[in-house]
Amino acid sequence: MSANAAGRPRYVAIITDGNGRWAQRRGLPTLAGHEAGADNVKARLRDAVELGIEELTIYSFSTENWRRPRDEVEGLMRMFRERIDRETPELDAEGVRMRFIGRREGLDPDLVERMEWAERVTRDNRRITLFVAFNYGGRAEILDAARRYEGGGEEAFRKLLYAPEMHDPDLLIRTSGERRISNYLLWQIAYSELVFRDELWPDFDRAAFEACLEEYASRQRRFGARI
């Protein structure tokens, strides 16, 4: 894109932060917050289609999240399996292509099989691509690529990332009031515009989403050049 007003983003990534705090404030179990957050992912995915976004990348579970309480991690894994089983046919019917990025080694083989099934079922869809970062860390992705890198420059390196077909996000959104990247898409967001919102993720509605897109559109993207 030229060094002028950014326009509407086509590729958006979100750090969906705040599920646990959302549940805590309502006196609910932590997993209830994760369920509400997963529901919100689906709602904002549908908004993304209507708003002309071609790729939406969601931070679902990081390599650091294994440090959380065991019952929370086990509940998340169970929820993730159930959601894949229940929602893949629905997303397929809506033209959503699903891709999971992250390390698959160490995950339950049954879960990996479900992830691969969802990718296989939806691989020909073109309406929007939903990238789900699961057991993902930006440093881990770069290290995994570096182990196989034999030279050739940036494009050769990019081909070794978890999803080389993913475009660099135009816009990265983080909810919950935090102002950090948290090891997310470190290679891909080198020139992404960043927008931070105070809403906890389950409260991040369409109006908040559109406000982020409007803020992006008001910015100038120079990519190191000078206007």
Side-chain angles (χ1 to χ4, degrees):
M1 186 177 292
S2 60
N4 53 23
R8 278 296 180 101
R10 292 188 294 166
Y11 317 118
V12 176
I14 307 179
I15 300 175
T16 55
D17 193 25
N19 294 336
R21 276 171 283 169
W22 183 90
Q24 185 179 36
R25 290 177 185 180
R26 288 160 176 77
L28 299 171
T30 300
L31 284 174
H34 292 305
E35 289 282 3
D39 288 340
N40 203 39
V41 167
K42 191 161 59 171
R44 301 292 76 80
L45 174 65
R46 288 168 173 159
D47 290 342
V49 171
E50 295 177 6
L51 294 166
I53 294 167
E54 298 173 21
E55 294 177 3
L56 182 65
T57 307
I58 298 295
Y59 209 178
S60 178
F61 189 86
S62 77
T63 50
E64 291 75 34
N65 287 156
W66 293 104
R67 302 171 188 166
R68 293 186 175 185
R70 181 176 177 179
D71 59 343
E72 181 180 352
V73 171
E74 290 177 350
L76 278 167
M77 295 297 157
R78 188 165 55 249
M79 184 190 83
F80 200 62
R81 282 193 294 268
E82 292 170 355
R83 289 266 177 175
I84 291 175
D85 287 348
R86 184 170 71 247
E87 295 179 3
T88 296
E90 181 180 340
L91 295 176
D92 181 44
E94 296 179 17
V96 178
R97 175 176 175 256
M98 296 180 66
R99 284 281 278 116
F100 297 94
I101 59 172
R103 286 179 170 170
R104 301 192 184 188
E105 307 83 32
L107 294 177
D108 187 312
D110 180 63
L111 177 54
V112 173
E113 185 177 329
R114 282 176 161 87
M115 293 160 65
E116 292 174 348
W117 166 74
E119 290 180 327
R120 190 165 58 250
V121 166
T122 64
R123 65 186 173 192
D124 295 326
N125 294 337
R126 294 292 180 267
R127 194 173 188 188
I128 190 172
T129 298
L130 174 64
F131 290 99
V132 180
F134 188 80
N135 196 26
Y136 176 87
R139 289 181 175 178
E141 179 175 28
I142 292 169
L143 283 172
D144 290 347
R147 289 189 187 99
R148 296 183 291 138
Y149 180 61
E150 297 179 351
E154 285 191 14
E155 285 308 308
F157 191 88
R158 170 182 283 280
K159 292 177 181 178
L160 302 173
L161 298 176
Y162 295 142
E165 77 277 18
M166 177 197 291
H167 293 81
D168 291 345
D170 299 313
L171 170 64
L172 172 67
I173 301 167
R174 181 175 186 141
T175 59
S176 87
E178 304 293 350
R179 304 291 196 269
R180 57 179 178 269
I181 304 304
S182 295
N183 197 22
Y184 187 45
L185 302 176
L186 298 181
W187 177 274
Q188 296 89 342
I189 63 169
Y191 282 101
S192 299
E193 296 295 319
L194 310 181
V195 173
F196 299 100
R197 298 285 301 192
D198 290 331
E199 297 94 344
L200 301 177
W201 172 246
D203 294 328
F204 183 83
D205 59 13
R206 178 166 179 142
F209 198 5
E210 289 184 330
C212 293
L213 304 188
E214 289 167 8
E215 182 172 344
Y216 170 88
S218 71
R219 298 184 183 180
Q220 301 224 324
R221 306 191 75 197
R222 295 186 290 274
F223 300 97
R226 194 183 305 281
I227 298 177

